[in-house]
Amino acid sequence: MQEQIENTYKLNAVPSTTWTWLKMNNDIVTIDANFNFVQGAVAEVPKAFAVSTINKDSISNEIPSFENSGVFNISSPKAKDNKNAWEKDSASEDFSNSKIDAEKELQTKSKNHPLFNLLNEQTKEVQYITIEGKTEAPLIITFDDKSFDSKNCISSQIINAKKDSEGTVIFFYAGNANQSFIQTKVYAQENAKVNIVKVQLFDKNTLHFDDTLFIEDENANVKFSQIELGAKHVDSGVHNVLRGYKSNFTSDVAYICQNAQVLDMNHIVIHKGKKTECKMNVNGTLKDEACKTYRGTIDLQKGCAGAKGNEMEETLLLSPKAINKSLPIILCDEEDVEGEHGATLGRISSEILFYMQSRGISKKAAEIIMARAKVQAVADTIPSDSIKEKIYDYLDKI
């Protein structure tokens, strides 16, 4: 029996820190850091896909190095020139020169994160998925009670979408794991079109950590869809490097948080290539005493002339006890770029409520309809009837 190793870690750190008293710069979790590797179940491998389990170091020459992460991001240090301004409202922080120098050495590379290093030692294998050619049939990878041989499970996938390929990979999570950590790395080569879907319906007692990383070459097009409904506490990170000319990223995230659920998201898109584009949408509902944090960062780096970045978040608030934290960020080091962000938070408008009540729909039923609609809008785009049915069945129980 493995000895339990419980430690407290900072996860989902925002790339550029804000006021510490807001408590939005990162999430803090205490976990048992002993994990056992598991493989997601694959019932059928469609044409154009190949799936194997290999040593993680054996394909280092086939894919680029993923040096960063959403979940394991480490914040950049605050500017030395702004030391006095930060100390004014963050007296508890230590901004000594020695600390700044130490943090500069770390930069923002995930490999320096202590939990990443620990998990990396425990992960010897990865599920290696290649897409070569074009196919409409999705590859479905399932994690449920049949997949778990331990209550603390870790799994890693590398998806290599070859030049001119097209394919969809769906991840479906369900069951009663204690702790689950999934890290997925996606390399979209030139002209590749990749659709990644993640549906999370874990039991209400599960701690779930989901890290999705992308690197896109010239004219690559990646679509990412995520539905978060289950689990007790979720840390979800997305990190995309748009390094190729005219590479494109679109993400749609939907959620319902209820009871005392915690959903913590850290989505980062780095624009490196010229005329790159990203569009991130997050749409969900907060009920009861749930807490949701969304950090969305568009980083327009020098050399990405003509790039466009857009992020939008909408939150439906159905309880005065629910907590919403939104941190949309645009970082810019290039002149010829466009960046937009926005966040809206509110209850059902009196006009919509009056319309529904005039047709015999109660306030409670109207809230359920609106919350479901946000999830169904994303679910309807999933190219799998069986996965959509499982989502709708889960929604019927909310």
Side-chain angles (χ1 to χ4, degrees):
M1 182 176 180
Q2 286 186 323
E3 180 183 357
Q4 185 172 354
I5 304 175
E6 285 198 349
N7 285 303
T8 300
Y9 299 95
K10 291 182 179 180
L11 301 177
N12 275 358
V14 70
S16 181
T17 53
T18 184
W19 308 105
T20 55
W21 56 267
L22 292 174
K23 301 186 184 301
M24 294 173 62
N25 287 324
N26 54 260
D27 190 23
I28 298 177
V29 295
T30 300
I31 67 172
D32 173 9
N34 277 320
F35 286 81
N36 287 334
F37 175 78
V38 300
Q39 296 187 50
V42 178
E44 183 178 354
V45 180
K47 182 181 179 181
F49 285 97
V51 181
S52 60
T53 300
I54 61 175
N55 184 285
K56 65 180 181 180
D57 297 323
S58 64
I59 55 171
S60 58
N61 295 329
E62 297 184 31
I63 61 170
S65 175
F66 289 79
E67 294 186 343
N68 221 319
S69 163
V71 170
F72 297 121
N73 188 59
I74 299 175
S75 296
S76 298
K78 301 175 181 66
K80 188 174 180 179
D81 292 340
N82 294 333
K83 175 181 175 183
N84 294 332
W86 282 101
E87 283 183 334
K88 182 177 180 180
D89 285 281
S90 305
S92 62
E93 290 280 355
D94 177 15
F95 295 109
S96 64
N97 289 341
S98 60
K99 181 175 181 179
I100 291 175
D101 291 341
E103 288 188 343
K104 278 183 178 178
E105 292 180 5
L106 289 178
Q107 298 177 354
T108 57
K109 293 185 178 181
S110 61
K111 64 183 180 181
N112 296 290
H113 194 288
L115 181 57
F116 175 85
N117 292 336
L118 183 61
L119 296 179
N120 192 46
E121 293 175 0
Q122 300 180 39
T123 308
K124 304 301 181 184
E125 296 179 317
V126 297
Q127 283 184 291
Y128 183 52
I129 302 161
T130 59
I131 309 174
E132 194 163 6
K134 301 179 181 181
T135 180
E136 294 183 0
L139 175 71
I140 301 176
I141 302 176
T142 301
F143 294 87
D144 56 18
D145 288 333
K146 295 179 181 179
S147 306
F148 302 144
D149 57 5
S150 165
K151 290 301 181 181
N152 288 356
C153 303
I154 185 170
S155 187
S156 180
Q157 303 84 34
I158 294 177
I159 300 173
N160 187 355
K162 300 295 184 68
K163 181 180 178 181
D164 298 320
S165 64
E166 293 184 20
T168 297
V169 182
I170 300 174
F171 294 83
F172 179 75
Y173 311 135
N176 188 27
N178 179 29
Q179 295 179 165
S180 169
F181 178 77
I182 312 292
Q183 185 176 68
T184 307
K185 299 177 180 179
V186 181
Y187 174 37
Q189 297 187 27
E190 183 180 347
N191 295 320
K193 294 182 179 180
V194 186
N195 182 16
I196 304 296
V197 180
K198 292 197 168 186
V199 177
Q200 188 272 115
L201 308 180
F202 273 124
D203 183 81
K204 63 181 180 180
N205 295 317
T206 299
L207 297 177
H208 180 53
F209 310 95
D210 195 339
D211 199 23
T212 311
L213 291 67
F214 301 92
I215 292 178
E216 297 186 43
D217 284 345
E218 182 175 341
N219 285 312
N221 190 315
V222 170
K223 180 180 179 182
F224 177 69
S225 302
Q226 188 170 32
I227 293 177
E228 298 283 357
L229 296 177
K232 174 175 67 175
H233 189 124
V234 176
D235 277 278
S236 172
V238 172
H239 191 280
N240 191 332
V241 179
L242 297 169
R243 70 179 192 178
Y245 175 74
K246 282 192 174 181
S247 52
N248 184 286
F249 177 67
T250 303
S251 66
D252 287 289
V253 178
Y255 64 86
I256 297 177
C257 290
Q258 57 185 335
N259 301 319
Q261 282 181 304
V262 175
L263 173 59
D264 194 282
M265 295 176 281
N266 189 34
H267 294 184
I268 304 167
V269 177
I270 310 292
H271 289 260
K272 288 182 176 290
K274 292 182 178 180
K275 295 189 177 182
T276 51
E277 293 189 27
C278 81
K279 185 175 183 180
M280 297 188 287
N281 295 305
V282 178
N283 205 341
T285 305
L286 291 174
K287 302 171 61 179
D288 307 319
E289 297 181 10
C291 177
K292 182 233 75 187
T293 302
Y294 172 67
R295 306 172 191 85
T297 302
I298 297 173
D299 189 354
L300 300 158
Q301 297 190 354
K302 191 170 184 62
C304 70
K308 297 179 181 180
N310 180 285
E311 59 176 322
M312 178 59 66
E313 180 191 10
E314 295 182 12
T315 305
L316 178 61
L317 193 64
L318 298 181
S319 169
K321 294 183 179 181
I323 298 174
N324 178 74
K325 300 178 183 180
S326 299
L327 192 59
I329 296 174
I330 292 181
L331 305 174
C332 186
D333 196 28
E334 179 61 69
E335 294 183 0
D336 182 22
V337 293
E338 296 180 23
E340 299 179 11
H341 63 70
T344 61
L345 170 68
R347 298 178 175 84
I348 300 176
S349 68
S350 57
E351 292 83 1
I352 293 177
L353 191 58
F354 175 78
Y355 175 84
M356 290 187 171
Q357 288 179 327
S358 68
R359 282 153 178 77
I361 301 173
S362 67
K363 179 181 178 181
K364 184 176 181 179
E367 291 176 345
I368 294 174
I369 291 172
M370 295 298 291
R372 284 181 61 113
K374 293 177 179 295
V375 176
Q376 287 183 219
V378 177
D380 287 345
T381 66
I382 298 175
S384 169
D385 291 338
S386 62
I387 297 297
K388 285 191 281 191
E389 185 177 346
K390 292 176 181 178
I391 296 170
Y392 300 148
D393 288 343
Y394 193 97
L395 289 173
D396 289 339
K397 300 173 184 178
I398 293 179

